[in-house]
Amino acid sequence: MENRKPLKAIFFLMFLTIGLANPTPSFAYSPKDTHKALTQEIVKLYNKKYNNKLTEEDLKDLQKGTVDEDDKTRPLKHFYDPIYNKGIFSNMTSKQWAKDTSAQARGIRKAMVSDLFKSKTDFSWDRGVYEYVYGDKKRAMQTLGHILHLIQDASVPAHTRDDAHPDIFHQRSPYEFWAKKFNPKTIDVASKLSSDDIVYFNSLNEYFDSIANYSNRNFFSKSTINNKRYTNPLINKENIIIYNNQRFIIYKDNYNNEFKLAAVDLKRNLFTGTKEYSYFIDDDNNIVLTNYWNLLSKQAVLHGAGVIDLFFKEVEKEKKTKVLYNKNKSKLKKATQKTKSMLSEAWRSIKGISSKPKNSEAILLSVAKKNLDSKKNASTSDSAKSNSSDVLPKNNNQAESKSELVKNTQSVASENKSSTAKQNSEIVGENDVLAKQKENEVEKNNNIVGQDDSSVAQNNALMEKNDTVVVKDDA
């Protein structure tokens, strides 16, 4: 069995060389028949559970994605052997391919200058979620269709048991070739399933692991029957039955479903007289393949419906976290935004420094005003009244009144300056400034000092506006 591998590899490479231009290579489920049919059943089951959340238009987009995933060389990434965690011919696994945005972009993206989710060839899981939240929901559904294609392929034993099977030189997969009979009109899977049986996991990787392990450990591909690389499934000759004039091996899967694992051909060696058994999966009546389909298509649909549910959960998560939104930005864009932010912060700091003296001056003036008002109300009022009566100008002695007014004004300013210094050391010098300003105001009012009682009252009001002692007219 192992000696056939080099020949198989040659056949496979020959097929790729000849058929690269073929948009729908025939080494998987038929994309226009089986994949579309399975996607239809997945949507039916999902809508049964979630009240027709997906529309007919959504179904069309999903089916387009399942068909397009077989474009050109993409099928080389449709294999995932969960036992050895490998793909076919050193290619990445379908599990990796489904989530590798950069690989699907085919190297076109330049991380420094281009956003992550931009390539036309990228139909990765994150791209689908991103497009649904921020971009094109139609493309998002098509991308999800690409993912469903990979999940469906993981239900095929040849895809999970490292078995290349190009449709040349009799190397094709009997199971997938036979399954072409199922199309959207002839398939009937969802109606036999309960929506309560939908498979739920918290990550896409878990879905791949689950369905790939199921198909790998319970079923044979054409070239891996009794292959020593795999311990399961095991053929037990004691489980041979005869059905429809044909011998079969009976087996039970992980869910305890009994089915026909392989057909048996029994011959007697003419030289030794011993019985020789040979096993195959493509019996004349396709009984084994029918048994395979009944179980594998069921799991493809149950897992596929769960993947759709996970997709919409990821959509809601992204709306809150915006992880993919930030991940999408190119390194150049991120660097540019960071630079702008730094410059903006620096500019705000510079503006803050330049305006600080004005702000400090305003604060000092405000505190000084409060101190003057407090001093005026608490202790200065009586003195001011007394001083006011002393300095009230007499019509017959203007020079004396002027001198007394200046003297008392300076005295009040000095007292307030001292009080302010005790409360806040930062504004000690501010009262001197205010006192100086007040002297200037007094000098401006020298010409009206000797006016009558009405003029005195007006002068007192002016002094109040300039935060000085209120000189009331007691006359």
Side-chain angles (χ1 to χ4, degrees):
M1 185 68 67
E2 296 295 330
N3 293 333
R4 296 177 59 192
K5 282 197 169 183
L7 181 61
K8 286 172 59 182
I10 293 173
F11 287 161
F12 192 71
L13 292 174
M14 287 175 61
F15 171 79
L16 290 177
T17 302
I18 296 172
L20 279 178
N22 182 6
T24 56
S26 56
F27 46 93
Y29 278 138
S30 170
K32 293 185 178 180
D33 296 316
T34 318
H35 276 298
K36 286 183 70 173
L38 286 172
T39 301
Q40 170 188 283
E41 297 304 288
I42 289 171
V43 170
K44 283 182 179 180
L45 183 62
Y46 178 82
N47 279 343
K48 186 189 298 185
K49 178 74 172 181
Y50 295 101
N51 299 319
N52 298 316
K53 182 175 181 178
L54 295 176
T55 65
E56 285 296 322
E57 189 65 28
D58 291 331
L59 173 59
K60 291 179 181 179
D61 291 330
L62 288 169
Q63 288 177 322
K64 176 174 172 51
T66 59
V67 172
D68 292 346
E69 179 55 31
D70 265 339
D71 184 47
K72 298 179 181 178
T73 60
R74 295 180 77 93
L76 287 173
K77 286 87 171 177
H78 293 183
F79 294 77
Y80 171 43
D81 183 339
I83 306 302
Y84 299 99
N85 191 29
K86 65 186 294 291
I88 198 77
F89 298 128
S90 300
N91 283 283
M92 66 171 55
T93 67
S94 58
K95 175 182 172 181
Q96 296 169 317
W97 174 248
K99 300 183 69 175
D100 197 328
T101 298
S102 296
Q104 292 211 27
R106 295 180 178 176
I108 296 175
R109 175 183 179 254
K110 303 298 181 183
M112 280 299 296
V113 298
S114 175
D115 290 345
L116 179 62
F117 303 124
K118 190 174 183 179
S119 172
K120 294 181 179 180
T121 61
D122 173 26
F123 296 93
S124 61
W125 177 257
D126 283 352
R127 177 67 177 272
V129 174
Y130 177 87
E131 291 294 346
Y132 196 91
V133 178
Y134 306 109
D136 185 348
K137 290 186 178 181
K138 186 178 184 67
R139 193 185 197 283
M141 287 291 98
Q142 292 174 6
T143 301
L144 181 56
H146 281 255
I147 302 298
L148 292 179
H149 179 119
L150 299 176
I151 291 293
Q152 293 163 16
D153 275 357
S155 73
V156 179
H159 283 261
T160 60
R161 293 172 70 87
D162 195 25
D163 188 2
H165 47 280
D167 193 10
I168 56 174
F169 303 110
H170 304 290
Q171 294 296 305
R172 71 188 181 195
S173 165
Y175 173 66
E176 289 173 297
F177 183 77
W178 174 81
K180 286 183 178 181
K181 64 186 290 185
F182 297 106
N183 57 52
K185 293 183 179 180
T186 60
I187 195 171
D188 184 18
V189 177
S191 65
K192 302 174 184 177
L193 301 176
S194 169
S195 59
D196 293 333
D197 294 329
I198 293 175
V199 178
Y200 294 104
F201 291 112
N202 294 321
S203 71
L204 187 61
N205 284 347
E206 290 178 280
Y207 279 101
F208 275 101
D209 289 339
S210 175
I211 196 166
N213 274 289
Y214 178 73
S215 63
N216 176 287
R217 297 174 184 272
N218 294 284
F219 303 88
F220 291 130
S221 64
K222 178 180 179 179
S223 301
T224 63
I225 299 174
N226 272 354
N227 191 313
K228 294 181 180 180
R229 295 181 67 245
Y230 303 103
T231 57
N232 289 301
L234 290 175
I235 286 181
N236 187 344
K237 295 177 182 177
E238 295 181 358
N239 292 333
I240 294 178
I241 66 166
I242 297 177
Y243 176 81
N244 198 24
N245 296 320
Q246 172 71 58
R247 291 181 176 86
F248 296 96
I249 295 291
I250 297 300
Y251 192 76
K252 287 187 177 181
D253 69 3
N254 296 348
Y255 302 101
N256 207 34
N257 297 308
E258 187 175 273
F259 66 101
K260 297 172 180 63
L261 176 64
V264 183
D265 189 14
L266 176 59
K267 293 181 180 180
R268 188 175 295 276
N269 190 302
L270 296 177
F271 297 99
T272 63
T274 59
K275 294 180 179 179
E276 294 182 346
Y277 295 86
S278 60
Y279 309 96
F280 50 97
I281 61 175
D282 49 346
D283 58 279
D284 292 339
N285 296 311
N286 296 319
I287 293 174
V288 172
L289 299 180
T290 300
N291 278 225
Y292 277 30
W293 170 260
N294 290 340
L295 296 174
L296 291 168
S297 64
K298 172 183 175 180
Q299 291 304 317
V301 172
L302 291 173
H303 281 72
V307 168
I308 294 179
D309 177 70
L310 177 65
F311 178 82
F312 285 113
K313 287 179 180 177
E314 291 293 311
V315 164
E316 294 304 314
K317 181 180 177 181
E318 173 60 22
K319 289 178 180 178
K320 297 177 181 178
T321 64
K322 297 188 181 300
V323 170
L324 297 180
Y325 178 82
N326 293 319
K327 184 179 179 181
N328 179 53
K329 298 175 183 177
S330 67
K331 291 182 179 179
L332 179 61
K333 183 179 291 184
K334 289 179 180 178
T336 301
Q337 291 181 344
K338 184 176 181 180
T339 301
K340 286 183 178 179
S341 178
M342 293 174 63
L343 290 174
S344 178
E345 184 64 28
W347 175 245
R348 284 195 296 268
S349 298
I350 292 172
K351 289 183 66 178
I353 293 173
S354 64
S355 62
K356 188 173 182 180
K358 294 182 179 180
N359 292 337
S360 299
E361 180 182 349
I363 293 172
L364 291 172
L365 290 173
S366 176
V367 173
K369 180 179 183 300
K370 289 180 180 180
N371 289 331
L372 288 171
D373 289 343
S374 177
K375 187 69 177 179
K376 176 186 65 178
N377 293 331
S379 62
T380 308
S381 178
D382 292 339
S383 176
K385 289 179 181 180
S386 177
N387 292 334
S388 176
S389 62
D390 292 337
V391 298
L392 285 175
K394 306 299 181 201
N395 292 330
N396 58 352
N397 198 354
Q398 291 185 359
E400 182 181 351
S401 297
K402 173 182 175 181
S403 176
E404 288 296 328
L405 180 59
V406 171
K407 179 180 179 180
N408 281 286
T409 299
Q410 291 176 334
S411 176
V412 171
S414 177
E415 289 177 9
N416 280 295
K417 173 183 174 183
S418 176
S419 176
T420 301
K422 291 178 181 180
Q423 296 180 27
N424 192 336
S425 60
E426 295 182 359
I427 60 171
V428 170
E430 190 62 33
N431 285 329
D432 289 334
V433 174
L434 293 174
K436 184 66 177 177
Q437 291 176 346
K438 196 47 56 188
E439 287 184 26
N440 293 335
E441 292 296 332
V442 170
E443 290 178 358
K444 291 180 181 180
N445 291 316
N446 282 340
N447 294 329
I448 60 171
V449 170
Q451 294 179 358
D452 58 14
D453 292 345
S454 177
S455 296
V456 171
Q458 291 178 6
N459 187 44
N460 289 337
L462 181 59
M463 292 174 69
E464 285 180 355
K465 291 181 181 180
N466 289 283
D467 299 320
T468 61
V469 178
V470 177
V471 181
K472 295 184 178 180
D473 188 359
D474 294 331

